[in-house]
Amino acid sequence: SLLVRQLSTATNNVHLEMALDWRVLGFTASIAIATAVIFGTVPALRATRVDPHDAMKAQGRGIAGQHRFALGNLLVIVQVALSMVLLVGAGLFVRTFTSLANLNLGFDRQPVLVASINIQPLQLEPDMRGDLLVRLRDAAAATPGVANAALSVVTPISGSTWSYRLELLDGKPIEIADKSVYVNLVSPEWFNTYGTKLLAGRDFTSADKRGAPAVAIVNEAIARKFTGGVNPMGRRVREPARPSAPNPEREI
């Protein structure tokens, strides 16, 4: 149950039936009883075949012991081998789980509190929605104990994704399937809130709003895919046109 809870997220709830199955329990108990009877009775039956007079003789003890413990030694070898396989498998599982728990996600997840906001029931005009969200962010940032506050459409590692095909103007030609990238819409201070450091360029500011030149921040994977690792600063990317963004070009 603990492992299942570790694998579950808000949008991807992992479910495994953990209730006791009486059929499995009955089968396991039958196998355990049969194993105890067989491996307890066979050595006793083999011991009854040994002549007591021969057993007291040194040579007889050696012969009887050799036959008596041959099967036992084989079973011990098999048991040790299976136990080693189980121990190695358990060790690898624990190491994998530890590596996943300590994986560098690109942000500091410990001090971050995530809250979901749904403003659709308010039925606001499109121009008013942005102002309301900015006021909510400012109110959260002004709360005592809060260092930074930011807004985003997609929450990291929540299971939710948003992607579309991106094209780098004057970039190297790549296949259409490779143009699909994950995207997010974020507010200023989003990277600082998550503790993500920028390698080059600047963060978004309050000046990057509707009517201002459209800009974008990309990661190293985008730079490797579209420019072959060349610094993409100042390059322009084209995203699919949509009503909210009639100009599909953005500057990196």
Side-chain angles (χ1 to χ4, degrees):
S1 300
L2 175 62
L3 293 177
V4 170
R5 288 197 298 269
Q6 293 290 334
L7 296 174
S8 299
T9 63
T11 57
N12 184 23
N13 187 17
V14 179
H15 176 74
L16 291 178
E17 182 59 47
M18 306 299 293
L20 185 63
D21 191 326
W22 292 103
R23 294 171 298 179
V24 176
L25 178 61
F27 175 80
T28 306
S30 300
I31 292 297
I33 294 173
T35 301
V37 171
I38 293 175
F39 287 95
T41 304
V42 171
L45 294 177
R46 292 178 61 88
T48 58
R49 301 176 184 177
V50 179
D51 188 353
H53 297 284
D54 294 337
M56 289 185 295
K57 298 179 181 179
Q59 183 177 2
R61 284 199 306 270
I63 297 175
Q66 180 180 357
H67 290 289
R68 184 183 302 119
F69 294 108
L71 178 61
N73 291 338
L74 178 61
L75 292 177
V76 170
I77 294 173
V78 174
Q79 183 178 7
V80 171
L82 293 177
S83 299
M84 288 299 298
V85 172
L86 292 176
L87 287 174
V88 172
L92 292 175
F93 174 81
V94 171
R95 188 179 68 174
T96 301
F97 185 81
T98 303
S99 299
L100 291 175
N102 298 322
L103 183 65
N104 183 11
L105 302 177
F107 60 88
D108 189 2
R109 61 189 184 275
Q110 296 298 334
V112 177
L113 174 65
V114 178
S116 299
I117 302 175
N118 182 13
I119 62 173
Q120 289 183 352
L122 300 179
Q123 298 181 353
L124 298 175
E125 295 296 329
D127 294 338
M128 300 177 60
R129 299 171 188 171
D131 295 336
L132 174 60
L133 292 174
V134 171
R135 291 198 302 269
L136 291 174
R137 183 198 64 189
D138 294 340
T143 302
V146 175
N148 294 288
L151 300 166
S152 69
V153 174
V154 179
T155 301
I157 65 171
S158 64
S160 300
T161 58
W162 182 17
S163 64
Y164 53 62
R165 290 177 180 173
L166 194 69
E167 182 179 359
L168 180 68
L169 301 183
D170 298 329
K172 68 176 185 178
I174 60 176
E175 300 293 334
I176 296 180
D178 294 333
K179 293 182 179 181
S180 179
V181 299
Y182 291 111
V183 297
N184 197 0
L185 291 180
V186 303
S187 71
E189 293 296 319
W190 188 82
F191 293 99
N192 288 334
T193 302
Y194 277 94
T196 301
K197 297 180 179 180
L198 295 180
L199 299 180
R202 65 170 178 86
D203 194 358
F204 297 121
T205 67
S206 58
D208 299 316
K209 56 185 178 180
R210 187 184 300 272
V215 292
I217 297 176
V218 300
N219 61 5
E220 290 181 285
I222 295 294
R224 288 193 299 267
K225 177 186 292 187
F226 289 89
T227 68
V230 179
N231 186 359
M233 290 291 300
R235 307 286 288 275
R236 302 188 66 84
V237 293
R238 179 187 291 119
E239 63 186 43
R242 54 188 190 276
S244 60
N247 182 13
E249 294 185 9
R250 294 178 181 269
E251 181 181 354
I252 299 176

